[in-house]
Amino acid sequence: MDEMYATELLGLGTSLTELAVKGTVTAVSNKIKAIKEEKM
């Protein structure tokens, strides 16, 4: 039973990490676009 929980927690942790990375990349990308538009 403990192994099942460990596997699930690992999967959830991986998914959370992926979402955090995607969110960070999106935020940085949006900031760069905003700066470029501001300079025009």
Side-chain angles (χ1 to χ4, degrees):
M1 197 63 120
D2 288 341
E3 188 177 324
M4 183 180 75
Y5 288 132
T7 304
E8 281 298 315
L9 282 174
L10 186 61
L12 288 171
T14 302
S15 296
L16 260 178
T17 302
E18 287 174 2
L19 288 172
V21 169
K22 287 179 184 177
T24 302
V25 169
T26 301
V28 170
S29 178
N30 288 342
K31 186 69 171 177
I32 291 170
K33 285 179 187 176
I35 291 170
K36 284 182 179 178
E37 288 175 2
E38 204 173 272
K39 289 183 178 181
M40 290 183 166

